[in-house]
Amino acid sequence: MAAALAARSCLELSAAVRGPARRLPELGFTPPGTAPLPARRYGDSAGGFCYRDSAQLAAATRNRFVRWTTSGDTVELVEESLDVNLLNNAVRLRIHGCPLLPGGVHICEVQSHLVILLLTGQTVHRLLLPHPSRLYRSLITESQMQSVFTDIGKTNFRDPVNYCVIPNVPGLASNSVASAAWLSSEGEALFALPSAAGGIFVLKLPPHDAPGAVSVVELKQSSVVQRFLTGWMPTAIRGDCGPSDLPISLSVHCLDHDAFLFALCQDHKLRMWSYKDQMCLMVADLLEFMPVSRDLRLAMGTSHCLRLAFSQSLGLYLGVYMHAPKCGQFCVFQLVSTESNRYSLDHISSLFSSQETLIDFALTSSEIWALWHNEENQTVVKYINFEQNVAGQWNQVFVQPLPEEEVTVRHDQDPRETYLEYLFTPGRFSSAAIQKALQIFSQGTERHMDLTWDELKKEVTLAVESEFQGSVTEYECSLEEFWQLQVEFWSKFYACCLQYQEALSRPLALHLNPHTGMVCLLKKGSLSFLVPCSLVDHLYLLSNEHLLTEDDAAIFDDLEMSRDVVCLVQCLRLIGESISMEMAFLMEMACSRLQPPEKAAEQILEDLIANDTENVMEDIHSKLQEIRNPIHAVGVLIREMDYETDADMERAHHLSMRLNLTQLYGSATAGSVVCWGVCKVATIRFLICRDLLVLQQLLLRLGDPVSTALGAIHSQLPWATHCSASPPSQESNLQHLSVLELADTTALTAHRLVSSPQTIVELFFQEVARKHIISRLFLQPNTNLAETSLNWPHLITAIVADFLPLLWPSNPSFLFPECLMGSCQYTQLQEYIRLLQPWCHVNMGSCCFMMGRCYLVMGEGHKRGVVFCRFCACWTWWDYQSWSSSWPPWPSWSQQMTGEARYRALL
């Protein structure tokens, strides 16, 4: 019995954007009294905002959040939802000549409004939008709803009450981009910025619905309080003000009638201010909590970073990243109140990191999530539970790898088809990257916008073929030269796509929702989600140095079995790391051609032994000697990967649930994330099964009579997660189904028109599986939905775990093929059944029936006779065994059909 791991690795799952690139509505504003600044004065940045009730099942803001990216003087805002597809959910704002500060976007939530506060190098701005709870009545359909940005064009950006030019004296500090913004309990908008002379000034806009003047407050430790409500006083008159206390990171914590402003300064000190009293309440020297050299103490800290996390039960936590050359340290503190309205820091933990460049980090009351770029400029994401992890061991996050640098084209393959298949396989390249590459490849003569996936594919084909044809018309060439030229031009376009894909997939920031536990990576124009690995995936993906430090007791309750499984996984990793691309392709082709995978595994082992230049086989032999019971260890690992259920998964009745539950995780974003989770699991399990088969051949060679009982290698799941769905004709769909005399059932409802490019697994999840999974998770006895709080890591793990058995063909459930036929996915259904034929002996009658139906619809009626014979044999056997409930080969709707209707359907 597997025990729960205290902390596991995580996987990055992209919310694939494969639809047409939208022309975002752009709103521009040139503030009077400003001089244009260089557009690239500050680097690109990103951030996110989560609603306070986003974890509440009955809230209008459930599973909704806002993300943004800034570039120069432009900010792009997007509202996301995991439940519904939001209409008009993105907007681009441009403040001409005023570059936005990195981190200069702040969003606040009040009862009736969502307030966006913007800080640029010269101005501050306030935007008021209606709160989503006020838009709840704007329901369009069950799956669509208006976004808070729907009517943003009606906002008056030029209203002087909602913006202000930052005064020149003392002005914004040029060597600091720190900022903070918040709303007071009276509705005032406050903006905190480091002043050029050191210290902080706070600029206040009056409430949007009340008259008033802009006012300014300056906070300085030397004189404790210096207030200038109507103007500014020169530094020489105010007194000394050294730059050492210049804030380089600012954060604010709002109270009922006050706000605590925290400033991490160049002198390595943390200062805490009360805005209401305009008094410095605490100064802490952070160098006391880290090993320092004399050089570090004398140097100015310019890369330190501060984050806050608040818990109703635990209070306020402060996370500080202290940067030092070639190393860094995180310090976590809890704010403690002392007597006389003073405060101190209670040191909770210190965590060291050797990463080179910290991009962003997020803090909760128990965890730190950090995003780095390493020395090779690669993305590194890790997290740690600073309360429980005494050893300081960071948990790995396996980020989405970039596509292969080169596409292998065999001489028997058409280069155009090979490259198109690789480029347009869902999830590999974003449409934005392909469109940008197309723009460059076409020398910028056209703007390829608003193109569907299929239209984009045609444009790419035309562009590359046009370039290619222009180079071969002047001379004759052989077939070999013709093939080589095709590869050359397609590889050139592919390299361009890869360049833009790398640029667009580089994370800019982390977004953490403390209410649901959801963690996202924010990128330029897209986002991805971090989800926990299953136990098997965690062990297989973890590097050996981390695997050796795992607490064995935390993996399995049986300590000896835990060690055996760890050694077994290490053997599998050694095999997997030694398998070349050609060997991997050999196994994939064997599965695709319905050949025995054991034969491919035997050939792979032969190749491994023949090319073993680094004594990998000797290392595997050594590891095998450490396994006390290899057969038992293999059996345990296989059971952990088993998708089969002992009994038929209970078919959910038609869900007469409230609206808020029927929509749960119903958006295209959630569907994409769930299905990519299934894709990741299926791909990893395929590799584990492949490596186990190779290890089995090795054990047989060594004389161990071992049987892994793998049966089928998990090949059809990876295929299904990448197979695109076809947009069917709704009229044709209804005509075909009417032949079967089918009544309205829970499985076959009036399917929406498939919007390409959707995979068949995404289609199945959105049309059928999601409602079954949600009903199993939430509609259980004694479940109080009113008190249910949504926890993203637990729910995404449970949804993927419940989804896999619905896809696994050895289970009695036949919902997946039913959905494919009901959605007219006949080509995909034929390939699905073909992959099952050699090994799956469940639902054989239903598969024969559906294959015959596919032949009939696809115009291959001459093949239906053979299928009909198989169908009759399965049907007769099922009638004979009709009392048995353990193996029903027919889906629910087929049991409603008369024998005449079944016969007519195949004839």
Side-chain angles (χ1 to χ4, degrees):
M1 184 69 178
L5 286 174
R8 289 183 185 168
S9 305
C10 286
L11 284 172
E12 178 193 0
L13 301 180
S14 298
V17 181
R18 300 190 295 270
R22 298 172 296 178
R23 283 191 176 93
L24 298 185
E26 183 169 314
L27 304 176
F29 173 44
T30 303
T34 60
L37 294 177
R40 292 292 176 183
R41 183 176 181 179
Y42 308 116
D44 295 349
S45 67
F49 162 80
C50 53
Y51 296 95
R52 68 172 69 94
D53 292 333
S54 55
Q56 301 306 311
L57 196 62
T61 54
R62 182 193 67 195
N63 284 329
R64 287 172 75 160
F65 60 98
V66 179
R67 61 180 175 90
W68 60 83
T69 55
T70 67
S71 180
D73 59 3
T74 302
V75 56
E76 188 174 301
L77 295 146
V78 182
E79 186 181 20
E80 300 279 2
S81 172
L82 297 176
D83 295 346
V84 295
N85 297 318
L86 297 175
L87 302 175
N88 309 302
N89 69 320
V91 65
R92 185 178 290 118
L93 304 178
R94 186 176 182 189
I95 306 172
H96 296 281
C98 301
L100 283 106
L101 297 178
V105 182
H106 305 266
I107 298 183
C108 306
E109 180 183 6
V110 294
Q111 186 174 4
S112 59
H113 290 93
L114 195 67
V115 184
I116 301 176
L117 305 176
L118 305 175
L119 297 99
T120 77
Q122 300 184 86
T123 58
V124 296
H125 303 261
R126 171 174 56 193
L127 286 75
L128 272 76
L129 303 173
H131 193 273
S133 60
R134 300 297 179 95
L135 295 171
Y136 203 66
R137 63 183 181 275
S138 303
L139 186 66
I140 305 300
T141 67
E142 180 182 324
S143 61
Q144 293 181 327
M145 188 178 292
Q146 294 289 358
S147 165
V148 294
F149 297 126
T150 296
D151 296 325
I152 194 171
K154 300 177 182 178
T155 304
N156 186 3
F157 296 95
R158 295 166 177 80
D159 189 346
V161 77
N162 285 326
Y163 80 92
C164 178
V165 177
I166 299 174
N168 291 326
V169 180
L172 181 65
S174 59
N175 56 339
S176 175
V177 294
S179 69
W182 70 99
L183 292 180
S184 71
S185 56
E186 290 77 23
E188 302 156 328
L190 298 115
F191 303 84
L193 295 160
S195 65
I200 309 168
F201 68 83
V202 181
L203 191 152
K204 181 174 69 175
L205 298 182
H208 71 279
D209 55 356
V214 175
S215 60
V216 175
V217 170
E218 185 176 16
L219 307 176
K220 285 205 58 66
Q221 188 183 2
S222 59
S223 56
V224 182
V225 178
Q226 297 212 11
R227 304 183 61 182
F228 306 97
L229 299 181
T230 58
W232 296 89
M233 187 178 296
T235 303
I237 301 177
R238 278 203 311 272
D240 71 286
C241 181
S244 63
D245 57 351
L246 177 70
I248 55 176
S249 185
L250 289 169
S251 293
V252 65
H253 175 63
C254 296
L255 305 175
D256 290 337
H257 298 287
D258 197 2
F260 288 162
L261 193 59
F262 295 89
L264 183 56
C265 304
Q266 281 189 149
D267 59 359
H268 317 291
K269 293 181 180 179
L270 178 67
R271 294 175 171 86
M272 172 183 165
W273 296 82
S274 165
Y275 173 74
K276 178 184 176 181
D277 299 330
Q278 298 175 25
M279 181 179 295
C280 184
L281 304 180
M282 180 189 69
V283 179
D285 185 358
L286 298 181
L287 293 183
E288 296 178 1
F289 300 96
M290 61 183 298
V292 295
S293 62
R294 183 174 179 274
D295 293 338
L296 179 61
R297 184 171 293 277
L298 295 177
M300 291 293 183
T302 57
S303 300
H304 302 334
C305 195
L306 171 67
R307 296 288 184 268
L308 305 182
F310 178 73
S311 167
Q312 291 286 353
S313 58
L314 300 175
L316 185 65
Y317 281 75
L318 293 85
V320 176
Y321 175 73
M322 301 295 290
H323 173 77
K326 296 184 180 181
C327 67
Q329 177 179 335
F330 291 93
C331 294
V332 182
F333 304 96
Q334 189 173 21
L335 187 66
V336 179
S337 175
T338 61
E339 57 186 27
S340 303
N341 197 29
R342 295 289 174 174
Y343 292 83
S344 64
L345 297 178
D346 184 10
H347 181 247
I348 303 296
S349 179
S350 287
L351 305 163
F352 295 92
S353 170
S354 59
Q355 302 299 329
E356 186 66 26
T357 305
L358 180 75
I359 305 301
D360 190 19
F361 82 96
L363 177 73
T364 73
S365 56
S366 60
E367 293 176 336
I368 291 177
W369 293 77
L371 166 65
W372 290 281
H373 286 165
N374 63 15
E375 293 180 353
E376 290 77 31
N377 206 26
Q378 297 172 329
T379 296
V380 177
V381 184
K382 294 185 179 182
Y383 78 99
I384 190 170
N385 187 310
F386 56 80
E387 289 188 328
Q388 300 177 0
N389 198 326
V390 180
Q393 182 71 40
W394 289 79
N395 300 288
Q396 290 185 303
V397 176
F398 299 100
V399 297
Q400 182 75 23
L402 288 171
E404 298 291 338
E405 291 188 3
E406 295 182 358
V407 177
T408 302
V409 185
R410 302 192 310 274
H411 282 278
D412 60 340
Q413 291 179 313
D414 179 14
R416 178 180 63 183
E417 295 301 322
T418 303
Y419 273 97
L420 284 176
E421 180 182 359
Y422 200 85
L423 283 169
F424 289 90
T425 295
R428 190 165 282 156
F429 285 89
S430 67
S431 59
I434 298 176
Q435 285 174 337
K436 285 181 177 292
L438 182 59
Q439 187 73 22
I440 295 298
F441 204 77
S442 303
Q443 283 95 36
T445 55
E446 299 180 44
R447 288 189 59 85
H448 302 277
M449 299 291 290
D450 297 331
L451 297 179
T452 66
W453 199 244
D454 290 335
E455 291 169 344
L456 183 59
K457 192 173 185 179
K458 292 177 182 177
E459 290 293 331
V460 167
T461 304
L462 289 173
V464 179
E465 290 296 315
S466 176
E467 290 285 326
F468 167 68
Q469 294 295 338
S471 66
V472 297
T473 54
E474 298 179 359
Y475 61 92
E476 295 183 0
C477 61
S478 64
L479 290 177
E480 175 65 24
E481 291 172 330
F482 184 84
W483 182 88
Q484 190 62 45
L485 280 173
Q486 276 191 308
V487 171
E488 180 182 333
F489 277 88
W490 277 103
S491 63
K492 179 181 176 182
F493 179 78
Y494 179 82
C496 196
C497 290
L498 191 64
Q499 178 182 354
Y500 281 108
Q501 182 69 20
E502 181 177 6
L504 293 174
S505 61
R506 183 176 296 277
L508 297 173
L510 285 161
H511 169 58
L512 188 150
N513 186 331
H515 312 297
T516 65
M518 180 184 72
V519 182
C520 299
L521 292 180
L522 303 179
K523 307 176 181 181
K524 197 173 181 63
S526 65
L527 79 160
S528 58
F529 297 79
L530 307 184
V531 301
C533 288
S534 67
L535 174 62
V536 173
D537 302 344
H538 169 77
L539 293 176
Y540 185 75
L541 295 175
L542 211 60
S543 59
N544 283 335
E545 57 268 23
H546 287 87
L547 194 59
L548 291 172
T549 61
E550 279 291 329
D551 181 4
D552 292 334
I555 299 174
F556 290 101
D557 295 332
D558 187 335
L559 183 59
E560 289 191 356
M561 179 49 57
S562 295
R563 291 171 179 165
D564 281 359
V565 171
V566 168
C567 289
L568 175 63
V569 171
Q570 288 177 319
C571 291
L572 297 180
R573 283 182 56 86
L574 287 171
I575 292 173
E577 291 169 355
S578 303
I579 291 178
S580 65
M581 292 181 61
E582 292 78 11
M583 298 178 193
F585 183 74
L586 181 68
M587 178 62 76
E588 293 172 8
M589 285 297 99
C591 294
S592 175
R593 295 168 180 170
L594 309 184
Q595 298 169 351
E598 294 83 0
K599 294 293 184 181
E602 187 177 358
Q603 182 60 51
I604 290 174
L605 179 61
E606 293 283 354
D607 294 342
L608 288 176
I609 294 174
N611 299 283
D612 186 16
T613 58
E614 299 182 1
N615 297 322
V616 175
M617 289 297 134
E618 184 177 339
D619 295 339
I620 295 174
H621 291 165
S622 177
K623 279 294 175 187
L624 287 174
Q625 298 300 318
E626 300 178 25
I627 304 178
R628 298 168 179 80
N629 192 335
I631 297 178
H632 191 194
V634 170
V636 169
L637 194 60
I638 292 175
R639 282 196 297 273
E640 287 291 327
M641 297 190 295
D642 193 4
Y643 302 145
E644 295 185 16
T645 54
D646 296 333
D648 189 5
M649 293 183 69
E650 182 181 353
R651 187 179 291 271
H653 299 291
H654 182 68
L655 302 179
S656 56
M657 295 181 290
R658 293 193 302 272
L659 179 65
N660 59 23
L661 196 54
T662 57
Q663 293 177 328
L664 189 61
Y665 300 123
S667 71
T669 299
S672 175
V673 173
V674 170
C675 294
W676 274 115
V678 170
C679 176
K680 288 282 190 181
V681 171
T683 302
I684 294 169
R685 301 299 164 84
F686 179 88
L687 298 177
I688 293 175
C689 290
R690 179 200 66 189
D691 298 345
L692 272 173
L693 284 173
V694 175
L695 184 63
Q696 178 189 28
Q697 296 298 322
L698 177 61
L699 290 172
L700 290 172
R701 215 174 255 229
L702 295 175
D704 280 348
V706 60
S707 174
T708 61
L710 281 174
I713 193 166
H714 299 54
S715 60
Q716 83 290 345
L717 282 188
W719 166 82
T721 56
H722 289 94
C723 180
S724 297
S726 304
S729 166
Q730 192 72 5
E731 180 180 350
S732 172
N733 186 10
L734 296 176
Q735 180 182 355
H736 293 325
L737 297 181
S738 65
V739 175
L740 305 180
E741 297 181 355
L742 297 180
D744 185 26
T745 67
T746 58
L748 289 177
T749 55
H751 291 288
R752 296 190 302 268
L753 203 63
V754 178
S755 59
S756 183
Q758 189 181 40
T759 67
I760 56 176
V761 171
E762 290 172 338
L763 170 68
F764 175 53
F765 178 77
Q766 293 176 349
E767 294 290 339
V768 176
R770 182 183 62 86
K771 291 184 178 180
H772 286 264
I773 295 169
I774 296 302
S775 68
R776 288 172 60 83
L777 291 178
F778 290 93
L779 297 186
Q780 301 295 333
N782 303 322
T783 300
N784 188 344
L785 296 180
E787 298 179 359
T788 301
S789 180
L790 303 178
N791 183 288
W792 169 253
H794 293 167
L795 278 174
I796 187 64
T797 303
I799 290 172
V800 171
D802 272 13
F803 193 18
L804 284 166
L806 291 175
L807 289 166
W808 187 239
S810 288
N811 291 322
S813 169
F814 205 63
L815 292 175
F816 184 41
E818 284 183 42
C819 177
L820 293 183
M821 192 175 82
S823 301
C824 297
Q825 306 295 310
Y826 297 113
T827 303
Q828 296 85 341
L829 182 56
Q830 286 185 81
E831 179 65 11
Y832 174 79
I833 295 174
R834 186 188 73 85
L835 290 172
L836 302 186
Q837 286 177 352
W839 62 272
C840 183
H841 306 295
V842 179
N843 297 318
M844 291 187 298
S846 297
C847 287
C848 289
F849 170 80
M850 287 193 165
M851 185 64 86
R853 183 67 192 146
C854 289
Y855 286 149
L856 186 64
V857 172
M858 303 297 290
E860 299 178 292
H862 58 284
K863 296 182 180 180
R864 70 182 187 273
V866 176
V867 176
F868 179 63
C869 293
R870 298 177 188 166
F871 165 79
C872 290
C874 292
W875 182 21
T876 303
W877 189 91
W878 176 74
D879 287 341
Y880 178 73
Q881 298 284 349
S882 59
W883 65 82
S884 174
S885 60
S886 62
W887 192 85
W890 292 100
S892 59
W893 50 265
S894 64
Q895 297 178 18
Q896 302 174 11
M897 298 169 58
T898 64
E900 179 184 359
R902 294 176 184 174
Y903 180 80
R904 186 169 68 253
L906 288 174
L907 294 182

